[in-house]
Every structure is written in C-alpha cells, then in structure tokens.
Amino acid sequence: MVTKEQVWKGLRLELTRNEMQQIYQAGEYELDDYYNYDLLVKTLKMAINKEIDFGVMAIKNIVAGNVVETKEALTPKIELFDTLDLPIHHCLFKKSPQSNIEYVASHIQALHQTQETRKKILKNVIEIECTDTALAAKMLFNGEYPENYAVICRENAGNFFNLTLVEKNIEDNPFNTTTFGLFKLKIR
C-alpha cells in the first residue's frame, strides 16, 4: 500500500492520477507537498531509516539532461531499483488575462525544455528559477510573484491555482520525456 510519505517526490500537481497509478499501481492517495531539494533529501533519509520502502525522483530529461537535485541528494546507502519514462508537457500561465509578461518562472528543467518555443511566444522576458513548476504556479497565485510574471507548469497545476492559460504544450520537443527512478535502501 502506498502511503502519503511515499508519493512521488512529495510533489503535488506534477503528475496526473493516471501517471501516478502507472508507477504505484495503487488507487487513492494524497498529494499535498511540493517538491524541493529539502523534501528530496527528507525522502531519501526516510528510505535510509526504513520509514518508507522507496522514493521516486526524476533522474534525467531527454532535452535538459540530468536532474542535478537528485544527483546531489543521493547517498551510497541508496540504490536505484527501477525506472519509468513518462512524457512531460508544459504550459505557460499568467495571473490574469490583463497581465503583461516580463518574467517567466519555473524549475530550471522546464525553462530548458521550453526555451525555443518561448522565444516565439514571448519577447525579451527574464527567466527566474524556482525549485518546482507547481510551486511557481502557487507563488503566482499567492501574489509572491507580481502580476508581470508568467509561470511554466503542468496544465493541472495552473488550472488548480486559477491562472490564465497562455499556451499549451510549449515543450520544444513534442516527445519530451523524463526518466524517473525508484530508489530504496541498499541491502548489504
């Protein structure tokens, strides 16, 4: 049975329920934490302390390469025991229909995966890195980013926070895929 602590990177709104079920083959679960480096480290510590059976983290993307946070958080006590490739689609959202976009915020991976497409949609915007795509959406919704910001996130994250959709599927590669790894405590 999948527990709340085992949920994919602790990340809310990054994957659809169907995608989560592909990995966990489970029914209902809660997704109520946002991913960040500290949560990734916490997940790995929980695996080391045998509080959870495994943790799931992004390893690499076909466009943007290795996920640095995962690489930095891994310890010799943890081993990779399975992987799954999932398609990744990004959307561009802004606060309201009247917002003029001067900045775009998202995780560095999403910024890299959408770079060429964004050049066609937005002119002369400044990129702002955030620890997570869904967190960027939440920050725009909460007013932590001003009105002149846009965010790149999954469609369900932008919709959840009542943001205005500017463009769907802005990934440069229509076959954009991320490899996720399942990690567990290494048995000696």
Side-chain angles (χ1 to χ4, degrees):
M1 180 171 171
V2 176
T3 67
K4 186 172 160 183
E5 289 78 20
Q6 290 172 303
V7 174
W8 196 297
K9 296 188 308 183
L11 177 58
R12 181 179 184 198
L13 300 173
E14 271 298 298
L15 301 174
T16 64
R17 185 170 300 281
N18 184 44
E19 290 168 326
M20 291 293 291
Q21 287 172 338
Q22 283 182 39
I23 291 181
Y24 290 113
Q25 297 179 356
E28 297 297 316
Y29 35 75
E30 291 184 46
L31 306 173
D32 70 350
D33 289 316
Y34 287 88
Y35 169 81
N36 61 39
Y37 180 76
D38 293 335
L39 185 56
L40 183 59
V41 170
K42 178 183 176 191
T43 300
L44 292 174
K45 284 181 180 176
M46 290 174 73
I48 291 169
N49 294 334
K50 300 180 181 178
E51 297 171 50
I52 58 174
D53 295 328
F54 61 88
V56 184
M57 286 140 315
I59 300 172
K60 66 182 175 185
N61 177 270
I62 64 167
V63 175
N66 291 332
V67 178
V68 176
E69 297 94 335
T70 299
K71 186 177 179 181
E72 290 175 353
L74 291 177
T75 73
K77 294 180 180 181
I78 296 292
E79 68 181 341
L80 175 69
F81 71 93
D82 200 1
T83 62
L84 179 65
D85 293 334
L86 289 176
I88 303 296
H89 300 289
H90 298 292
C91 294
L92 183 68
F93 283 92
K94 60 184 181 177
K95 181 85 171 190
S96 69
Q98 299 80 25
S99 301
N100 292 320
I101 302 170
E102 296 176 35
Y103 299 86
V104 62
S106 195
H107 188 274
I108 187 68
Q109 286 274 332
L111 292 170
H112 286 303
Q113 294 165 26
T114 61
Q115 197 167 25
E116 295 305 315
T117 304
R118 283 186 292 112
K119 286 179 187 175
K120 297 172 189 169
I121 301 169
L122 304 170
K123 305 292 183 218
N124 302 320
V125 297
I126 299 168
E127 292 182 351
I128 305 296
E129 289 182 29
C130 183
T131 57
D132 178 67
T133 59
L135 178 60
K138 180 182 180 186
M139 291 172 73
L140 184 59
F141 172 77
N142 286 340
E144 296 172 61
Y145 289 143
E147 186 83 15
N148 62 346
Y149 271 57
V151 296
I152 299 166
C153 61
R154 297 278 305 228
E155 185 175 6
N156 54 348
N159 289 339
F160 180 83
F161 291 110
N162 251 352
L163 300 176
T164 300
L165 179 65
V166 175
E167 189 82 31
K168 279 185 181 184
N169 299 326
I170 64 168
E171 58 280 354
D172 296 336
N173 182 336
F175 303 104
N176 188 27
T177 304
T178 295
T179 300
F180 290 87
L182 278 70
F183 295 88
K184 66 179 181 178
L185 182 65
K186 199 178 279 186
I187 299 172
R188 298 179 187 200

